[in-house]
Amino acid sequence: MLNKGLFSSDKDDWETPQKLFEKLNDRYHFVIDLAATSKNAKCKNYYTVEDDALSKDWSKVNGPKWLNPPYGRQLGLWVKKAYISSIKCKDPIVLLIPARTDTSYWHEYIFYKAHIDFLRGRLKFEHNGSAGDSAPFPSAIVTYNFDTSWL
């Protein structure tokens, strides 16, 4: 029998592991966190649920953008928004998402359109700065407008 907990979660606002974010931020120097709360924002500038980030024009924000979107049913909308925004700007848009490569949004908006780094092992997402259990899914870093000059 399958454990339902492997495929769902009571929440969709798990925080990016700080060490992972620091490693990526050292490379890209992000200017905005596109999906945050006032308690877990990784950048000085950020959008919250109240800001309705999906309605904003991300291409008007100059500089590299960080996105660890909610992993609920609307995840595909966030990936689509990142892809469309990447066409309008030249800055990197870096996403941390589940590596669910069988989903339609991976095929429509990621494969052959972005640089993909599959993460080894399972991340321990944080809540209020404390690491939880390992995620029940593999993760990937997806980068639009990947350019080695940012390295």
Side-chain angles (χ1 to χ4, degrees):
M1 180 177 289
L2 289 176
N3 178 344
K4 284 187 178 181
L6 294 176
F7 302 102
S8 65
S9 176
D10 293 350
K11 54 193 290 16
D12 62 5
D13 63 344
W14 288 93
E15 301 166 25
T16 304
Q18 187 61 32
K19 287 184 181 182
L20 174 63
F21 178 78
E22 288 171 0
K23 182 178 177 182
L24 292 165
N25 194 45
D26 285 348
R27 177 186 295 171
Y28 293 104
H29 308 286
F30 298 112
V31 298
I32 191 166
D33 184 337
L34 297 169
T37 69
S38 59
K39 292 182 182 180
N40 72 12
K42 298 295 183 187
C43 301
K44 178 181 169 186
N45 299 308
Y46 56 91
Y47 292 141
T48 65
V49 171
E50 293 79 21
D51 295 319
D52 187 15
L54 288 174
S55 71
K56 304 288 184 192
D57 185 350
W58 299 352
S59 65
K60 290 186 178 181
V61 177
N62 292 320
K65 298 151 193 59
W66 170 250
L67 177 59
N68 177 5
Y71 289 1
R73 294 194 184 277
Q74 292 192 326
L75 179 55
L77 296 176
W78 290 88
V79 174
K80 179 181 180 181
K81 175 79 173 190
Y83 169 66
I84 290 170
S85 298
S86 75
I87 295 169
K88 296 179 183 179
C89 71
K90 296 299 176 200
D91 299 316
I93 302 174
V94 182
L95 291 69
L96 171 60
I97 60 172
R100 295 185 179 127
T101 59
D102 60 333
T103 59
S104 60
Y105 61 84
W106 269 83
H107 288 267
E108 293 175 23
Y109 306 114
I110 296 174
F111 289 132
Y112 308 108
K113 296 171 178 69
H115 178 85
I116 306 164
D117 289 301
F118 293 102
L119 301 180
R120 185 176 184 164
R122 304 287 171 107
L123 289 178
K124 289 188 176 188
F125 288 91
E126 299 176 354
H127 187 65
N128 295 325
S130 297
D133 293 332
S134 295
F137 50 80
S139 299
I141 301 295
V142 174
T143 307
Y144 293 102
N145 296 330
F146 181 80
D147 182 344
T148 55
S149 68
W150 289 97
L151 301 177

